[in-house]
Amino acid sequence: MSDARVDREAVRAEEIASEQQYLDVLYTKLDDLRQETTQRLKNTLRDSGGPPQAQTERDISTRMYTDRLTQLSAVEHGMCFGRLDLDSGETFHVGRIGLFDEENEYEPLLLDWRAPAARPFYLATAAARDDVRRRRHLRTSWRKVLDYEDEILDLDAAEEGSDLGLAGEATLLARLDARRTGQMQDIVSTIQAEQDRIIRAGMNGVLVVQGGPGTGKTAVALHRAAYLLYTFREQLSKRGVLVVGPNPTFLHYIGQVLPSLGETGVLLSTVGGLYPGITATAEESARAAEIKGRSSMIKLLTNAVKDRQQVPRDHVEVSFDREPLRITKADATHARTRARRTRKPHNLARKVFRREMFEALTLQVADRLGRELLDSRDLDDINNELRGDEAVDAALEQLWPEVTPQQLVDELFTDEKRLHTAARKVLDADERDELLRAPGSPWTPADVPLLDEAAEQLGEDDSAQRAEQERQQREELAYAQGVLHIMEQDEEIADEERLRVSDVLDAELLAERFQARSDLTAAERAAEDRTWTFGHVIVDEAQELSEMTWRVLMRRCPSRSMTLVGDVAQTGALAGTDAWDEVLSPYVQDRWKLAELTVNYRTPAEIMDIASDVLAEMDTDLEPPRSVRTSGHQPWVRAVDRSKLVSTLPEVVRSELGEVADGRLAVLMPAQLLAEIEPEITEALPSAAVGNGPDDLESPVVLLSVDAAKGLEFDTVVLVDPEAIVEGSDRGFNDLYVALTRSTQRLGVVQLEGLPHVLNETSFRRV
């Protein structure tokens, strides 16, 4: 070994030891913070009893300390991942959270990756150094420093350049080559410049992030959520951030990313979870979902609501005070017209309808008794008696009932007559038949936007709730005034100049602090409130959303502060979009910004070359993202007779598992084929998981439909019957494009009939 090499290794060992020493300091600080927070939580929980305000304050403190402990625990692995050496001689370490030395004027021990001072770690280049002399990427395993990679940005220094033009190339490639674990990993230590610019973009307006497979769209979206909460905490802590994902499996997959980035207060939801009290996960045909997603469903629901506002053909007779009483068509028509002219939602306009009807019936009773003999108090008494009569109330309820969104939508799709009435001039007979279902059928994700639209059109009579809230507020104010009075009486004032409590705190402010449910986070309150509006909304796989779903999300975010992440080349849903302008122009016209991710970090070039041929077949101007690496594994194809698939597939899976020890393998196939062979294949592969359960991705082998695999990644993908994938949908090429780009290492194709013409056989090796 040469002396020069010995010297380099000695220097490297010394540097690693130095970094280890500093890392020990950071983890000691982390342990101290955990211990301190744990003790404060114990003290808070130990406190019991006391007046209502003390209980409220205890609940708030409990939440605060619990969230802080969650944050401190989530950053344990990879807490510090980099260092910046500046021209000034200063050195800053960069990590997942900020740590400070309280005994030394709060000097930063560790910069939070979101802080402005940490931005050069991601953006500095040799051409634009931003005073950075050296950028160091640390590779750690829990609390141990394994290695480091230095980038010398000073052009006067002799240093070999990066092969790929990527920040922290060695660290990035090591991360990309690592085995999948079934949970998404953050990219905070390897964020590249184009990703960082999107993550740190301003909060105002709609930002569309268009990126092909493997460009890190989802990771960028989640890091953006963490960055916005850090930078605009005052605004967003009150309204919260909503992150919408395509399915529950995906939410489970990304579930640990935000805590590891230092954030725990974001609401994660699927479209099926956006209506409080309902979790819509049932499946339905793609065509039914597409029909429900059309904007024409607004008219259909409007018709369904109007169908609940009836008038009798001639009259309805009820008994009141042992005498017949007629609810006439003329009176009901007049009352309905007056109610509709208010333009209030159905359940609120119902009060006007009933008021008009009770007035008409009051006059009818008065005429029977002799109206000229009655005064206004007599008429009021009759009106009140009519309102309390069960028979009269039931008759009016038949004409204009109070309806819930669940009732309206459920009865619409289970009652052929109601659907026919509402869908006239909106849907044809075949489309109506597609939507009909059996009573008691579970909710599907496509039902949720309809429930939300129905809630808007029906409205909710919350006058009783508002009266109760006002009563509680009056009680809280009176209680607060009493507390202030007692506090002032108990003061021992030694100096007349001394401030009194009332000089700095009034009863209204004190009552505000005691308001009910203040212990809940914004995300928790939002999950219970359909009308909640968020400070920012992030949507992943946004290209899949229907027109009706966009209406829901725009209601949730009237400020239009949104980040929409997706790839129109991967649109699989029939109700999805091929162009961002089509879905955004009705809400923001052309006032939205487009940012593109162009580098593919996940998919090896060997696989991306094949996928690029599929992209070229689509009617799109999109360019395939550029892969930054090769895997060294040429994709393979194997012809299998359909009758032998169940017996052959386990053999294929076991062979591939031998190539990716400790990795994750996905078998992707058409949904119909998966349903057909599931009983037999699960018996032949007992260790394999099937479908969308939250724990399925933890299994070494998972069998999924292509749609269920969207947004996920695996070390190896075995794709079964690509021809059927192409033929199975109007967006078959989009689905094939998705399936081909889920792998980070190896791809195999099991061919049952033939290969789609778009797949070039010369790109595969035959096995």
Side-chain angles (χ1 to χ4, degrees), residues 46-63:
R46 197 177 293 125
D47 252 350
S48 60
Q53 72 270 23
Q55 297 176 27
T56 299
E57 290 172 2
R58 183 172 65 252
D59 291 340
I60 294 171
S61 297
T62 298
R63 167 68 65 184

Side-chain angles (χ1 to χ4, degrees), residues 171-187 190 214-216 219 253 257 600-604 628-629 631 657 659-666 696-702 709 711-717 741-746:
T171 303
L172 173 62
L173 293 180
R175 188 70 170 273
L176 295 175
D177 286 333
R179 296 290 182 243
R180 306 301 101 176
T181 64
Q183 289 188 339
M184 185 180 179
Q185 298 179 354
D186 64 70
I187 60 169
T190 57
T215 53
Y253 180 59
V257 173
N600 188 331
Y601 302 99
R602 175 181 68 218
T603 314
V628 301
R629 69 195 234 284
S631 66
L657 282 177
E659 300 291 339
V660 285
D662 299 324
R664 296 294 184 272
L665 183 150
D696 290 341
L697 297 182
E698 307 291 341
S699 173
V701 181
V702 59
L712 308 180
E713 60 183 38
F714 308 90
D715 297 288
T716 295
V717 167
T741 54
R742 298 306 94 199
S743 173
T744 66
Q745 300 291 337
R746 298 171 61 86

Side-chain angles (χ1 to χ4, degrees), residues 506-524:
D506 61 25
E508 286 82 1
L509 181 59
L510 187 60
E512 262 183 43
R513 297 181 180 179
F514 300 156
Q515 282 182 3
R517 302 186 68 77
S518 58
D519 57 308
L520 295 179
T521 66
E524 289 171 329

Side-chain angles (χ1 to χ4, degrees), residues 236-405:
L236 294 179
S237 62
K238 297 176 183 177
R239 304 310 310 170
V241 173
L242 170 66
V243 176
V244 179
N247 52 56
T249 302
F250 177 83
L251 295 185
H252 177 73
Y253 180 59
I254 68 173
Q256 294 304 310
V257 173
L258 283 168
S260 74
L261 297 174
E263 295 299 340
T264 58
V266 176
L267 178 62
L268 301 177
S269 179
T270 62
V271 171
L274 288 177
Y275 196 91
I278 286 177
T279 302
T281 58
E283 295 182 358
E284 64 186 335
S285 72
R287 186 162 183 251
E290 184 271 325
I291 295 169
K292 291 178 182 179
R294 299 175 191 171
S295 59
S296 59
M297 295 300 288
I298 302 168
K299 177 63 175 174
L300 186 144
L301 289 170
T302 301
N303 293 342
V305 171
K306 287 183 176 180
D307 187 42
R308 300 306 183 99
Q309 301 165 1
Q310 296 291 317
V311 296
R313 290 186 176 182
D314 181 30
H315 70 273
V316 174
E317 192 170 285
V318 294
S319 175
F320 174 71
D321 200 19
R322 299 182 182 178
E323 296 286 342
L325 193 63
R326 284 191 166 193
I327 299 174
T328 68
K329 179 179 180 179
D331 287 339
T333 300
H334 173 76
R336 184 174 69 176
T337 301
R338 292 292 298 271
R340 286 179 173 176
R341 282 179 178 171
T342 66
R343 298 188 180 278
K344 292 181 179 180
H346 171 89
N347 288 331
L348 301 183
R350 172 177 174 271
K351 297 173 68 174
V352 178
F353 174 81
R354 291 172 67 87
R355 183 191 68 207
E356 294 291 326
M357 286 304 305
F358 281 124
E359 287 181 3
L361 294 175
T362 297
L363 294 179
Q364 189 179 142
V365 174
D367 287 340
R368 190 170 66 201
L369 297 176
R371 192 190 306 187
E372 66 279 0
L373 302 176
L374 305 176
D375 59 21
S376 61
R377 285 179 296 180
D378 295 325
L379 294 177
D380 288 342
D381 289 341
I382 295 171
N383 193 300
N384 290 331
E385 287 182 27
L386 284 166
R387 289 177 181 273
D389 188 276
E390 292 184 2
V392 174
D393 181 76
L396 295 182
E397 188 69 17
Q398 285 293 316
L399 298 178
W400 194 302
E402 184 171 13
V403 184
T404 68

